[in-house]
Amino acid sequence: MTNEYVEVVVPLPLQATFTYRVPPEMRSRPIGVGFRVIVPFGRKKFYTGIVVGMPVSPPEGFEIKDIAMVMDESPVIRHPQLKLWDWVADYNLCSTGDVYKAAVPSGLKIESETFVEVNPDFDFEAFPLKNDLEHEIFQFVEHEEKVSASGIVRKLDRKGTTATINRLISRGVLIVAEKLVERYVSKKQFCVRLAPGITESEAFRLVGTARKQETLLLALIDQMRQAAHTADRPGTADVYKDRLLERAQVSGTILQAMVKKGILEQYTIEINRFRYDGQPLKKLPVLSERQQVALEKIHLLWKEKEVNLLHGVTSSGKTEIYIHLINHLLQRGDQVLYLVPEIALTVQLTRRLQEVFGEKVVVYHSKFSDNERVDLWKKLLQSHEPLLILGARSAVFLPFARLGLVIVDEEHESSYKQFDPAPRYNARDVAMVLARFHGAKTLLGSATPSVETYYKSEQGKFGLVSLDKRYNEVALPEIEIVNLRQAREAKELDGAFALHTVRRAKEALSQGKQVIFFQNKRGYAPMVRCRQCAWVPRCEHCDVSLTYHRALRQLQCHYCGSVYPLPSVCPQCNEPAIEEIGYGTERVEDELGRLLPGVATLRMDVDSTRNKHSHEQIIESFSEGKARVLVGTQMVTKGLDFKDVDMVGVLNADAVLNYPDFRSGEQGFNMLEQVSGRAGRSDGRQGRVVVQTYEPEHVILRYVCSHDYSGYYMYEIEQRRRHFYPPFVRLIYIYVKHRDRQTLRRLADNYASRLRELLGGRVFGPDEPSVARVQNLYIRRIMLKIETNASISKIKELLRQTYMDLYSDPAMRQTVLYYDVDPQ
């Protein structure tokens, strides 16, 4: 018998879990930790809760509600996942509900939504509808099974629709209802087989002289035998209808005729969307002597260290070492998680890994539909087979059964950090905890490790393995610094390009090579301005200027997404003097059409990769040589492998190096070193990187020019030690937001003052961040510098108690407050 009570977490930003009663009629079926249950919450809503405990008795003094439904016959969340959720919530100062909402695909979370329905008891004869709009709304709602008020407004697109809906509800014509909505739709496949009781010989007799039916029957029997021969588990010997018809080269009407005769039978099966139909094509890559030594050292270090760092220069062959480690774990029957910071990296890696491991490779990231993510979740729940999961940061929350190894490639990348909404976790750190909970090992890899990671390896907390040469002794690229100030004075600057940079690009192209240009701003121009009165259009909701996107002919806020038309005349001085200022990737692409006429160019940024397969299409086109030039933001800096790229141009290094943050030096060195690593990777020819800057003497550029990570690290770690920044302290940013600037200032000052009473000199601020208003909310930031050995749980309790003490102020209830631990 099931316990009478269950403790449940719901996908809401609430600190508590909630106790529900299991009604008597549900106690005969299985229910336990990790099961999904539908629970009522609040006055009307229903949510999918996860059972996290089975209390013997309920808490006193509370009304205990009944669960509405048990959704599973077995757990959908494993025990290590629940432990991980608690750790992520504690460390990142958020709720377990926040983590649950982020971790589990929406398709596994049934929730109630608010819909508008026609009131079946309303007396239309006594109270008829009053006008055409009321009739139109009534007819639309009557014919729709589920429709929200906002859905009606969007569909009808008529003035006054919202007010009319509200009047219809108040008069009782329409009623508001809560309905459970399930978003997951399983994928079905039509299959064909011989009808029950029909043998092959009997089938041929019934077909008779019908030539096309005979052809279809022969194709079916052949595919049935092939499927039975290759099937390695139940349910894989099915013959798919579409493949059968393609193989037999007949139409569906022939199949239908055979079904009517009782020869064949059609049926459907539920299939997983993640299927790889090919076979492994390649053997394990052959390792160089250096790679073999590094591989053996990793195995040796794992006897003492749970986490190892593989520090290898760009194109040193880290991926080949990963493949050998993956093979070792898969042969042992374990699962491997391979994390990458960008979805774009999965494109090249998926093909490369599938060539070695075939169907054992599955991919998981946010560009997949919710149905696809649920399918992979179910695949991992139902199977203990050895698998390689390649994914971006959200893959750390998957339900692994036998996790043996976690690889975090490009571990230094800030893309591993989730910024908004909560939980604001770093997938690299979560991955190490995940591995520990499973008794697995972790390998961090990078050509430019984060300062914190390298420091831990220097201190002996992590193992360290180095590859200081490129594969096959290929030389690291030559770095050329172009002084933009001198180029401007010499009139050798054409738009965003120094003429020297253009000449180098033409040299590479003339030799049949490819070129990458890096510009870390998307759009056409970062700003537009009136050249007469200097008016600059700004977002109505944020304290930022607007970016011009010429392809859309609109101005866009990159913080809240608001769009505005580009004015033809200045609204301040009424002069037709609007001009574009600066260069985004869209404008750089446009300029290259003029500077390099006839050269095919591709652009890779957020705007050009919005669609599911756009990353893949751009990378494949460039890899196959269909384009000779690639323009991109930081997406092009992250681990992509293009064998024919001979030259990389960095158009504005200053924007990377001078960002107002203590990590700007680290991020600048990493980004410039990584983008330079795209050049000269394969044919023995030394690549070239041209870096344009107004500050050629910048200290970071000295280390970039000599590819000197060790020298850079010694410089940076001394700066951090001197100014008391990570890894010597743990940083926590506290963001306070409010719609009124003066109220915000008062609340933030009070909060900081109260914290100073408790934490003393560890509290800094509050101050305004560089963008002080986003989505109509003004922002103030308080910074805490906490000792690395301090208990994060105690800090969380102290911060929460301080917040609750201030909650008596009514203005605090309209305040948004959240924490960012280890900000990037």
Side-chain angles (χ1 to χ4, degrees):
M1 286 289 289
T2 299
N3 275 25
E4 187 177 349
Y5 301 100
V6 291
E7 188 178 352
V8 171
V9 60
V10 292
L12 296 171
L14 303 170
Q15 297 295 330
T17 55
F18 301 89
T19 301
Y20 286 85
R21 191 174 75 101
V22 181
E25 63 271 18
M26 295 185 190
R27 292 176 197 166
S28 59
R29 61 173 297 169
I31 180 172
V33 173
F35 280 65
R36 291 178 302 162
V37 291
I38 302 295
V39 296
F41 195 87
R43 294 178 59 191
K44 296 181 179 180
K45 301 291 286 185
F46 287 83
Y47 291 98
T48 300
I50 301 295
V51 178
V52 296
M54 307 289 288
V56 176
S57 58
E60 295 182 2
F62 294 92
E63 176 192 358
I64 305 300
K65 297 180 180 180
D66 286 353
I67 62 173
M69 184 191 306
V70 180
M71 297 183 63
D72 307 300
E73 295 296 327
S74 59
V76 297
I77 308 294
R78 300 186 191 276
H79 179 66
Q81 287 176 278
L82 294 175
K83 285 178 61 181
L84 187 69
W85 291 5
D86 287 339
W87 182 88
V88 171
D90 283 343
Y91 188 83
N92 293 284
L93 307 179
C94 63
S95 71
T96 306
D98 284 320
V99 184
Y100 164 29
K101 186 172 183 179
V104 177
S106 296
L108 291 173
K109 300 192 292 280
I110 297 176
E111 296 182 6
S112 65
E113 292 186 2
T114 304
F115 295 102
V116 178
E117 296 179 342
V118 173
N119 184 355
D121 299 322
F122 187 78
D123 189 346
F124 287 94
E125 292 185 3
F127 306 100
L129 299 176
K130 296 181 177 180
N131 53 50
D132 289 343
L133 182 54
E134 289 193 354
H135 277 282
E136 191 172 354
I137 292 170
F138 171 78
Q139 289 172 359
F140 180 71
V141 173
E142 190 176 37
H143 288 90
E144 292 289 328
E145 183 180 352
K146 295 175 180 177
V147 61
S148 64
S150 59
I152 301 171
V153 172
R154 285 195 304 271
K155 186 70 176 179
L156 299 187
D157 194 24
R158 287 185 57 179
K159 186 177 181 181
T161 302
T162 301
T164 304
I165 292 171
N166 290 334
R167 284 196 296 271
L168 290 172
I169 292 172
S170 65
R171 282 165 33 206
V173 179
L174 303 180
I175 57 175
V176 176
E178 291 288 321
K179 293 186 178 181
L180 291 174
V181 177
E182 183 169 11
R183 295 176 176 83
Y184 173 66
V185 179
S186 62
K187 185 174 182 179
K188 299 291 197 301
Q189 179 69 52
F190 289 101
C191 299
V192 181
R193 62 190 171 200
L194 291 173
I198 299 294
T199 63
E200 291 181 12
S201 58
E202 178 68 10
F204 280 109
R205 186 186 68 78
L206 293 171
V207 165
T209 59
R211 188 71 58 86
K212 289 187 177 181
Q213 291 186 16
E214 183 182 41
T215 301
L216 181 62
L217 182 57
L218 286 168
L220 173 64
I221 291 171
D222 184 50
Q223 288 200 345
M224 286 172 62
R225 288 172 179 168
Q226 286 184 23
H229 178 71
T230 58
D232 58 353
R233 55 191 182 277
T236 58
D238 302 288
V239 176
Y240 292 175
K241 173 184 172 181
D242 53 355
R243 295 180 186 175
L244 174 63
L245 295 177
E246 183 180 359
R247 170 76 175 275
Q249 292 294 295
V250 299
S251 68
T253 56
I254 303 299
L255 174 60
Q256 292 301 324
M258 296 179 72
V259 170
K260 286 182 179 179
K261 284 184 178 181
I263 303 171
L264 303 182
E265 178 184 58
Q266 291 191 84
Y267 63 100
T268 59
I269 60 171
E270 183 176 322
I271 65 168
N272 197 289
R273 288 174 171 84
F274 292 90
R275 298 177 69 91
Y276 173 69
D277 297 322
Q279 296 295 321
L281 303 176
K282 294 182 179 179
K283 297 180 179 179
L284 291 174
V286 177
L287 300 182
S288 68
E289 184 178 345
R290 280 195 181 91
Q291 288 173 316
Q292 187 62 42
V293 169
L295 177 64
E296 292 171 359
K297 187 175 181 182
I298 290 170
H299 280 295
L300 187 64
L301 282 170
W302 268 335
K303 294 179 179 179
E304 302 174 2
K305 309 286 186 184
E306 298 297 318
V307 181
N308 281 326
L309 168 64
L310 177 58
H311 176 207
V313 298
T314 56
S315 197
S316 59
K318 295 185 290 295
T319 304
E320 286 79 6
I321 294 175
Y322 298 158
I323 289 173
H324 276 260
L325 291 169
I326 291 164
N327 183 64
H328 174 71
L329 270 293
L330 294 180
Q331 287 189 338
R332 207 170 70 184
D334 288 340
Q335 296 168 338
V336 179
L337 173 60
Y338 189 148
L339 286 179
V340 291
E342 286 281 354
I343 294 170
L345 291 181
T346 65
V347 176
Q348 288 185 326
L349 272 174
T350 300
R351 189 175 299 108
R352 190 171 176 183
L353 294 169
Q354 283 181 338
E355 287 176 346
V356 179
F357 301 114
E359 66 174 6
K360 289 184 173 65
V361 180
V362 292
V363 185
Y364 187 87
H365 56 63
S366 60
K367 282 293 176 76
F368 284 151
S369 70
D370 203 58
N371 286 331
E372 289 171 320
R373 282 183 274 178
V374 172
D375 274 353
L376 179 54
W377 190 284
K378 289 185 172 183
K379 180 181 178 73
L380 288 174
L381 273 178
Q382 296 163 4
S383 172
H384 287 63
E385 64 183 305
L387 291 171
L388 167 59
I389 294 88
L390 175 66
R393 61 176 179 247
S394 58
V396 295
F397 295 117
L398 287 168
F400 300 98
R402 291 193 54 178
L403 187 63
L405 172 63
V406 178
I407 297 169
V408 185
D409 197 19
E410 310 292 352
E411 66 81 28
H412 63 278
E413 274 291 345
S414 60
S415 300
Y416 282 123
K417 174 74 172 182
Q418 163 76 15
F419 290 98
D420 277 312
R424 295 170 179 84
Y425 66 97
N426 189 312
R428 176 198 61 203
D429 301 333
V430 175
M432 290 187 281
V433 177
L434 170 71
R436 188 172 77 240
F437 286 168
H438 282 269
K441 305 296 184 183
T442 304
L443 181 64
L444 310 176
S446 178
T448 55
S450 70
V451 170
E452 290 94 325
T453 296
Y454 201 78
Y455 177 78
K456 288 175 182 175
S457 69
E458 290 275 284
Q459 297 298 306
K461 185 174 182 179
F462 298 164
L464 176 62
V465 180
S466 297
L467 286 170
D468 57 0
K469 300 287 184 182
R470 279 185 157 185
Y471 187 73
N472 280 343
E473 306 299 319
V474 174
L476 288 164
E478 175 189 359
I479 310 290
E480 295 181 357
I481 302 295
V482 174
N483 188 328
L484 289 178
R485 185 172 287 105
Q486 291 180 356
R488 185 177 294 279
E489 291 171 356
K491 297 185 178 179
E492 291 200 341
L493 198 61
D494 189 341
F497 295 85
L499 297 186
H500 176 79
T501 305
V502 178
R503 285 194 293 269
R504 289 301 196 193
K506 289 180 176 179
E507 287 175 16
L509 294 169
S510 68
Q511 294 166 0
K513 297 297 182 179
Q514 292 177 304
V515 176
I516 292 177
F517 286 107
F518 169 56
Q519 175 74 339
N520 207 27
K521 286 186 181 296
R522 64 186 177 96
Y524 188 82
M527 184 175 74
V528 298
R529 182 180 63 193
C530 175
R531 60 177 173 268
Q532 293 292 340
C533 68
W535 172 81
V536 174
R538 302 181 70 82
C539 179
E540 295 174 1
H541 314 291
C542 310
D543 283 346
V544 291
S545 59
L546 299 170
T547 300
Y548 177 46
H549 290 255
R550 197 175 75 167
L552 302 172
R553 192 157 179 78
Q554 65 184 17
L555 299 169
Q556 187 178 103
C557 174
H558 285 178
Y559 282 81
C560 71
S562 297
V563 294
Y564 305 82
L566 177 70
S568 55
V569 298
C570 174
Q572 186 164 283
C573 67
N574 293 319
E575 291 292 328
I578 301 296
E579 61 179 352
E580 299 97 4
I581 304 296
Y583 288 80
T585 49
E586 191 181 333
R587 191 176 187 183
V588 169
E589 180 185 27
D590 194 48
E591 290 284 292
L592 285 170
R594 177 177 59 82
L595 295 170
L596 302 173
V599 178
T601 302
L602 288 170
R603 174 166 54 90
M604 189 171 175
D605 55 25
V606 169
D607 301 312
S608 66
T609 57
R610 293 189 186 279
N611 296 327
K612 179 177 178 179
H613 298 293
S614 49
H615 289 96
E616 184 175 356
Q617 292 164 356
I618 293 170
I619 290 169
E620 282 190 356
S621 294
F622 194 63
S623 296
E624 293 169 3
K626 295 178 181 177
R628 308 291 306 285
V629 176
L630 177 64
V631 177
T633 56
Q634 58 183 330
M635 286 183 180
V636 302
T637 72
K638 301 177 181 181
L640 294 169
D641 188 2
F642 301 117
K643 60 184 177 62
D644 289 329
V645 172
D646 189 63
M647 181 253 184
V648 171
V650 179
L651 299 184
N652 185 4
D654 304 327
V656 178
L657 294 169
N658 295 323
Y659 189 78
D661 186 87
F662 80 95
R663 293 188 193 276
S664 62
E666 178 181 11
Q667 291 172 346
F669 178 86
N670 290 352
M671 201 169 290
L672 294 174
E673 185 65 18
Q674 288 286 341
V675 75
S676 73
R678 302 315 107 207
R681 292 176 66 90
S682 61
D683 61 359
R685 173 189 172 94
Q686 186 179 27
R688 176 178 285 113
V689 180
V690 180
V691 180
Q692 299 185 166
T693 176
Y694 283 96
E695 298 182 67
E697 300 303 318
H698 196 292
V699 61
I700 299 299
L701 291 178
R702 295 208 305 268
Y703 297 117
V704 172
C705 286
S706 57
H707 302 286
D708 183 10
Y709 176 84
S710 296
Y712 156 72
Y713 169 77
M714 296 304 294
Y715 163 81
E716 184 69 32
I717 201 71
E718 181 55 35
Q719 297 297 311
R720 303 278 184 94
R721 181 182 286 108
R722 184 181 303 170
H723 299 291
F724 209 46
Y725 276 104
F728 303 104
V729 293
R730 175 179 288 124
L731 277 192
I732 301 174
Y733 286 162
I734 304 172
Y735 288 93
V736 189
K737 300 181 179 182
H738 197 280
R739 290 185 178 275
D740 181 77
R741 176 174 246 155
Q742 295 306 317
T743 301
L744 172 66
R745 183 182 296 273
R746 176 176 62 80
L747 293 173
D749 287 346
N750 288 346
Y751 194 27
S753 298
R754 187 68 61 90
L755 288 174
R756 282 194 184 89
E757 295 173 6
L758 300 168
L759 297 172
R762 301 176 183 87
V763 182
F764 299 83
D767 57 18
E768 287 188 345
S770 55
V771 178
R773 183 175 63 109
V774 174
Q775 293 181 321
N776 293 320
L777 292 174
Y778 292 95
I779 307 168
R780 303 276 285 179
R781 185 180 69 187
I782 302 167
M783 181 172 67
L784 305 184
K785 290 185 176 181
I786 305 296
E787 293 83 348
T788 55
N789 60 355
S791 167
I792 197 74
S793 296
K794 291 181 179 178
I795 295 295
K796 181 178 183 179
E797 183 56 35
L798 182 148
L799 291 173
R800 177 166 175 75
Q801 189 57 53
T802 304
Y803 173 75
M804 295 307 295
D805 290 345
L806 295 172
Y807 201 71
S808 57
D809 187 333
M812 202 68 179
R813 296 166 194 176
Q814 283 79 48
T815 302
V816 177
L817 187 145
Y818 63 85
Y819 311 100
D820 187 4
V821 181
D822 301 333
Q824 293 293 308

